[in-house]
């Protein structure tokens, strides 16, 4: 596996597992936190800038689409970059969209997907090294 893919998988995998477990074990806290952050203009702007930088770094250094792990890492980069851009360009639309989501209902599903994705990346990075 490409060394950059391995590095990003090693960084993102455990982070995704931790966030997924947090969402699963503290659903009401995460729903409140997500709602509270969505209304804080400065927090949204700061998150957006960080997302653009991180997403762009991944895209610049890892725009690979050959193996499943490379595809997942590249999609994480592009998704992060695009979400950051949308947060900067359309902050009010994002806030309105977020306010209509049934966060408390969606969190268990999002948590499981996040844990599975993180676990796959940890496994793939460990398998590669």
């Amino acid at each position: 596996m490409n060394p950059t893919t391995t590095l990003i998988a090693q960084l993102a995998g455990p982070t995704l597992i931790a966030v997924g477990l947090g969402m699963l074990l503290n659903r009401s806290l995460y729903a409140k936190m997500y709602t509270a952050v969505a209304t804080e203009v400065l927090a949204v702007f700061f998150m957006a800038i960080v997302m653009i930088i991180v997403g762009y770094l991944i895209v610049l250094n890892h725009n690979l689409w050959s193996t499943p792990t490379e595809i997942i890492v590249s999609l994480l980069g592009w998704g992060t970059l695009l979400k950051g851009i949308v947060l900067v360009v359309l902050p009010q639309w994002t806030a309105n969209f977020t306010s209509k989501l049934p966060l408390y209902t969606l969190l268990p599903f999002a948590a499981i997907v996040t844990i599975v994705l993180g676990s796959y990346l940890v496994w793939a990075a460990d398998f590669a090294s």
Side-chain angles (χ1 to χ4, degrees):
M1 183 180 337
N2 182 298
T4 306
T5 306
T6 303
L7 176 64
I8 296 170
Q10 288 171 331
L11 293 170
T15 304
L16 290 171
I17 292 170
V19 169
L21 287 173
M23 289 190 309
L24 200 57
L25 299 174
N26 304 294
R27 184 170 26 163
S28 62
L29 177 68
Y30 270 73
K32 286 179 194 174
M33 184 171 49
Y34 195 78
T35 303
V37 168
T39 61
E40 291 295 328
V41 178
L42 188 57
V44 171
F45 181 74
F46 180 73
M47 280 186 345
I49 297 303
V50 170
M51 291 175 122
I52 290 170
I53 292 168
V54 170
Y56 195 54
L57 281 170
I58 293 172
V59 168
L60 280 176
N61 292 291
H62 190 281
N63 201 19
L64 305 172
W65 302 90
S66 299
T67 67
T69 308
E70 289 175 348
I71 292 168
I72 290 170
V73 169
S74 294
L75 285 173
L76 282 173
W78 278 104
T80 303
L81 175 62
L82 293 174
K83 184 174 180 181
I85 291 169
V86 168
L87 285 171
V88 168
V89 175
L90 302 168
Q92 192 57 47
W93 177 84
T94 307
N96 291 338
F97 177 76
T98 301
S99 69
K100 293 178 179 133
L101 287 175
L103 292 175
Y104 193 79
T105 307
L106 290 175
L107 273 172
F109 174 73
I112 291 168
V113 169
T114 303
I115 292 168
V116 168
L117 184 60
S119 298
Y120 173 78
L121 290 175
V122 167
W123 172 82
D126 186 48
F127 184 71
S129 49

